[in-house]
Amino acid sequence: MSKANSSTDTGARTEEAETGARTEESAAEREQERVDHAAGERLSTAPREERPETESESGTGVPAMGVVGWIRWFWRQLTSMRVALILLFLLSLGAIPGSLIPQTSVDDLKVQNFKDQHTTLSPIYEKFQLFDVYSSVWFSAIYILLFVSLIGCIVPRTGQFVGQLRSRPPGAPKRLNRLPAYTTWRTEAEPEAVREAALGVLGKRRFRAHAAGDAVAAEKGYLREAGNLIFHIALIVMLVAFAAGQLFKSEGGKLVVEGDGFANTLTQYDDFKSGSLYDSDSLAPFSFVLDDFVGTYEESGPQRGTPRTFEARVKYTEGADGPERKGVIRVNEPLVVDGTKVYLIAHGYAPVVTVRDGKGKVVSRNSVPLLPIDNNITSTGAIKVMDGYRDKNGVKTQLGFKAFFVPTFAGHGKGQMFSQFPGAEFPVLALSAYRGSLGVDSGLPQNVYQLDTSKMKEFKNEDGELLKKMLRPGEKLDLADGEGSITFDGIEEWASFQISQQPGNGWALGGAIAAIAGLAGSLFIQRRRVWVRAVRGADGVTVVEMAGLGRSESAKLPEELGDLAAALITTAPVAPEKTEAPEKPEAPESPDAPGPSDDATNEAGSRPVHPADAPAEGAEK
């Protein structure tokens, strides 16, 4: 009985010893996995987020985040990459209404027309500042938060990245065969010679390498993190450029008829808008004259009337007394003078009319620009004679004519008076005449393309109806009772220009290019580490191990490690296998006992294992 108990106690102690050994081995494996995981984490330059300390760890179970703790937590959240991407997405969403809804900063007239047509939506849009998106409170808040988030994210990342550039790659882990890419072989070369050859091979492949104990540690792919930082710095540059452009910009429009000119002063603009920090003294001194406007159109086919050429041929002078130069302004090809860009944005016709009084005296002769209302440049407008006209009784009065112009009229009896082609092939000008007060003396602004007839009387024809007539070039309309006449002399063309000065465009373009380059680098460059260990085995033969670790899983890492191994084998060739006469094995004690072939090879083997054929991570060979 005591013998049985002794046997039982011995078995229990053996089992406990085995359990303890397995527990120690499991703990060692977990510790090694932790070390390997930490090695992978060190490949990143992202700031480490520390878990806030809570009182639950001390036993109370209540979070111990005071005011300072919450501020730190909010700052970590704001400067995280996740929040930066969310803010960037919100900024993109916020720009959508600015593109779809008319903006006050761009066109007040379109905004007013939208409000007149949408009486229900307009108050809602005004409440949410959708007519002034880019200067609204909510858009500015997103913009500023994104700016702060990017700066708070970049500063610590830059410091950590610079620190990693100045430091050496970490030493090799204890068990290289646990890494994703691994290969090994035996060689007769000395371990020191293998490590020296590994330094040379890795150096030629532009790895940063150094010897660390019995291994060589190398790292490559720093441009990945550099590209990531460049991308975020470029975003900040673009934001700053955008803000500078909005604060210091100036933008105005000017309609110029052929033969007329423009000087870059505030009084010459038809409309002018600028940023809140803009100084009018910074207007670039230059002037130009519109010599000729050339517009060509498709003559036939399904695309008849499609514009082919829009060119404004000008003579311009830079500075107060600079030399006169010739230039051509095309659509999307502006004239650039001293940092100011002159864009061609519109085109139309200006009928040349001559107004005479009852005595035949020329009262007015000028080109009157008309506003196009369709793609065939059917145009409307008003001709106003404010000074110099006297009626048959010698009383000063004002004349007004509603004008309707078509560059190519289909002819009488061939439909309504609309243009059939944008080119001036058969121009016709329809006029209706009024007299009285134009209302310009009241001091209130008026639309130059509209005629206010509230204080005017109609000229009557013989039938007592409104006097009106369609004129061809050279024809005239005689006013009733010998009050005078108006003659359609011909047509000239006009061009509308946008003169803009927006600092920061060059910086924005450079930032966009840098952002694309940095993003490409962060996406396509892989940061990876390689270790080469060379130690002498128990039998005196050197065992070489190579392993690689990348920041992300990639099929190229095993291939690259295989190429490095192939290059290193030229210096440290595979040792030939040793063949020994087989000894007669002893008879096994039981049928389940292992035979001699189960342990015929050693762990490293005598042939290199390609990383693609290596065992899975954590598996034993």
Side-chain angles (χ1 to χ4, degrees):
M1 186 68 178
S2 60
K3 183 177 181 180
N5 291 337
S6 175
S7 176
T8 302
D9 294 341
T10 302
R13 285 195 298 270
T14 303
E15 184 177 356
E16 289 177 359
E18 292 177 353
T19 303
R22 286 195 298 268
T23 302
E24 293 177 358
E25 182 179 359
S26 177
E29 290 179 353
R30 287 196 299 271
E31 178 65 18
Q32 183 62 36
E33 290 177 357
R34 186 188 65 78
V35 173
D36 295 343
H37 179 69
E41 284 186 340
R42 286 195 298 270
L43 284 176
S44 174
T45 61
R48 298 182 180 87
E49 293 189 4
E50 298 179 358
R51 182 169 59 89
E53 183 180 357
T54 61
E55 292 184 5
S56 60
E57 297 176 352
S58 60
T60 62
V62 179
M65 292 178 62
V67 176
V68 176
W70 280 109
I71 293 175
R72 289 178 178 175
W73 178 87
F74 177 77
W75 177 254
R76 284 196 297 267
Q77 298 302 315
L78 179 61
T79 56
S80 65
M81 188 57 58
R82 178 179 62 256
V83 173
L85 291 176
I86 292 174
L87 291 173
L88 187 61
F89 178 69
L90 291 177
L91 194 71
S92 303
L93 287 181
I96 293 177
S99 302
L100 300 179
I101 300 173
Q103 298 295 294
T104 304
S105 60
V106 177
D107 196 329
D108 291 330
L109 182 60
K110 285 186 177 180
V111 173
Q112 188 59 46
N113 292 336
F114 185 91
K115 291 180 178 180
D116 296 339
Q117 297 173 6
H118 304 84
T119 56
T120 303
L121 285 176
S122 295
I124 300 175
Y125 284 2
E126 288 181 340
K127 184 176 181 180
F128 289 99
Q129 299 178 300
L130 295 183
F131 293 117
D132 299 278
V133 168
Y134 302 110
S135 59
S136 62
V137 174
W138 56 269
F139 190 88
S140 301
I142 297 173
Y143 185 89
I144 294 173
L145 286 175
L146 177 60
F147 192 81
V148 174
S149 177
L150 288 175
I151 292 179
C153 180
I154 288 173
V155 171
R157 291 175 69 95
T158 303
Q160 291 186 12
F161 181 60
V162 171
Q164 289 192 3
L165 288 178
R166 298 177 62 183
S167 63
R168 290 184 171 186
K174 183 178 180 181
R175 302 186 65 178
L176 292 178
N177 61 345
R178 289 184 176 273
L179 298 183
Y182 174 79
T183 185
T184 181
W185 72 93
R186 292 154 56 91
T187 181
E188 294 180 348
E190 295 296 327
E192 294 79 6
V194 174
R195 290 193 288 269
E196 188 69 24
L199 286 172
V201 170
L202 292 169
K204 290 180 180 179
R205 303 295 179 94
R206 298 189 300 277
F207 277 85
R208 292 180 58 200
H210 72 102
D214 61 356
V216 172
E219 190 167 1
K220 187 179 181 181
Y222 289 92
L223 287 179
R224 179 187 180 93
E225 296 301 332
N228 196 8
L229 292 174
I230 289 173
F231 171 73
H232 291 90
I233 293 174
L235 287 182
I236 293 180
V237 172
M238 293 172 63
L239 291 175
V240 172
F242 177 77
Q246 293 297 315
L247 293 174
F248 297 96
K249 74 174 183 178
S250 68
E251 185 176 277
K254 178 64 178 178
L255 186 148
V256 183
V257 181
E258 289 177 329
D260 292 343
F262 166 79
N264 193 26
T265 59
L266 287 178
T267 57
Q268 288 281 300
Y269 283 93
D270 295 332
D271 59 86
F272 184 83
K273 295 179 181 179
S274 62
S276 57
L277 299 181
Y278 179 77
D279 184 6
S280 60
D281 293 336
S282 61
L283 283 173
F286 72 92
S287 61
F288 68 86
V289 175
L290 178 61
D291 283 342
D292 186 25
F293 183 88
V294 178
T296 60
Y297 310 89
E298 188 67 33
E299 297 286 345
S300 60
Q303 294 186 344
R304 184 176 185 270
T306 303
R308 295 304 180 196
T309 303
F310 275 171
E311 293 182 354
R313 300 173 181 176
V314 299
K315 293 178 181 177
Y316 67 96
T317 301
E318 183 175 355
D321 53 357
E324 187 177 72
R325 302 174 183 175
K326 292 184 178 181
V328 178
I329 306 175
R330 301 181 179 88
V331 178
N332 296 326
E333 296 183 18
L335 174 68
V336 182
V337 183
D338 195 15
T340 302
K341 295 183 178 180
V342 182
Y343 293 91
L344 174 63
I345 60 174
H347 154 256
Y349 291 100
V352 181
V353 295
T354 301
V355 179
R356 294 178 174 85
D357 59 15
K359 298 180 180 180
K361 178 183 176 182
V362 176
V363 177
S364 172
R365 186 181 189 279
N366 53 16
S367 303
V368 183
L370 302 181
L371 186 66
I373 59 175
D374 60 22
N375 292 332
N376 287 327
I377 318 186
T378 301
S379 307
T380 63
I383 301 172
K384 302 177 182 181
V385 180
M386 292 177 284
D387 299 310
Y389 176 79
R390 295 177 182 269
D391 61 14
K392 61 182 179 180
N393 298 322
V395 179
K396 289 184 177 181
T397 187
Q398 295 176 333
L399 300 179
F401 302 89
K402 290 184 178 179
F404 194 89
F405 175 79
V406 291
T408 302
F409 183 44
H412 294 283
K414 295 184 179 180
Q416 297 179 349
M417 186 178 171
F418 283 94
S419 179
Q420 307 297 314
F421 186 75
E425 296 185 351
F426 195 84
V428 173
L429 176 65
L431 298 174
S432 55
Y434 298 82
R435 59 183 172 182
S437 174
L438 294 171
V440 295
D441 299 330
S442 63
L444 298 176
Q446 285 190 347
N447 190 327
V448 295
Y449 302 105
Q450 295 179 352
L451 183 65
D452 182 9
T453 60
S454 59
K455 297 181 180 181
M456 305 189 77
K457 296 181 179 179
E458 300 177 348
F459 279 98
K460 303 292 184 178
N461 59 14
E462 296 177 354
D463 298 330
E465 297 177 352
L466 174 64
L467 179 64
K468 55 185 178 180
K469 186 178 181 181
M470 291 190 297
L471 306 177
R472 289 275 294 144
E475 298 179 350
K476 69 177 180 176
L477 169 63
D478 292 321
L479 304 179
D481 301 328
E483 296 284 352
S485 65
I486 180 171
T487 305
F488 178 26
D489 297 325
I491 56 172
E492 292 181 352
E493 298 185 70
W494 58 262
S496 181
F497 300 95
Q498 176 179 295
I499 299 94
S500 64
Q501 183 180 4
Q502 189 166 4
N505 283 345
W507 285 97
L509 177 61
I513 295 174
I516 294 174
L519 183 61
S522 64
L523 291 177
F524 299 109
I525 298 176
Q526 182 187 17
R527 189 171 175 187
R528 61 273 194 199
R529 287 173 178 164
V530 173
W531 292 276
V532 181
R533 174 174 286 141
V535 295
R536 193 178 301 279
D539 57 355
V541 180
T542 301
V543 178
V544 181
E545 290 183 289
M546 293 186 68
L549 177 64
R551 183 173 181 178
S552 59
E553 294 295 334
S554 174
K556 293 183 178 180
L557 181 61
E559 295 178 4
E560 185 176 26
L561 190 66
D563 294 339
L564 291 171
L568 185 57
I569 285 176
T570 59
T571 305
V574 178
E577 296 184 4
K578 295 182 179 180
T579 59
E580 297 179 0
E583 297 179 359
K584 184 177 180 180
E586 297 179 0
E589 297 180 359
S590 65
D592 298 331
S597 60
D598 292 325
D599 196 21
T601 57
N602 55 33
E603 181 181 357
S606 58
R607 297 173 57 193
V609 181
H610 194 278
D613 300 327
E617 181 178 352
E620 295 290 344
K621 289 194 174 185

